Amino acid sequence: MATGETGFDDVTYDLISVQYHSLKAGHDYGQYVRDARNAGEDEIAQFFEQVMAEDSQRAQKCHEFLARLGGTDNTAPQSDG
């Protein structure tokens, strides 16, 4: 696999990046749900819950792909040789 500027193969790096950002966003959306509920905006809270579920599914799919690519053994920097 091609390696990017980080020394990690591009696909692994990309999957880890998407997984991280999906998990981080999911954590943040929990607060958005609470804010909407506290404001009495149940429809907006439901929207945030839907977005949170989609990010959770996205993170899970990344996890599955990373396992298929070799799991943690594939996350070490790759040599150019």
Side-chain angles (χ1 to χ4, degrees), residues 7-75:
F8 290 84
D9 77 80
D10 292 339
V11 174
T12 298
Y13 177 89
D14 296 345
L15 286 167
I16 291 170
S17 180
V18 169
Q19 185 179 45
Y20 167 80
H21 289 290
S22 295
L23 292 169
K24 173 72 170 95
H27 179 267
D28 294 343
Y29 296 147
Q31 181 62 51
Y32 303 167
V33 170
R34 287 188 293 278
D35 291 345
R37 294 253 185 254
N38 290 339
E41 295 289 349
D42 289 337
E43 185 178 11
I44 295 171
Q46 289 172 356
F47 167 73
F48 288 138
E49 288 171 336
Q50 176 187 344
V51 171
M52 187 170 25
E54 290 168 359
D55 270 326
S56 179
Q57 292 169 355
R58 195 170 292 116
Q60 178 61 36
K61 191 66 172 179
C62 287
H63 183 77
E64 292 167 10
F65 284 136
L66 286 165
R68 188 180 86 189
L69 292 175
T72 57
D73 290 344
N74 201 37
T75 60

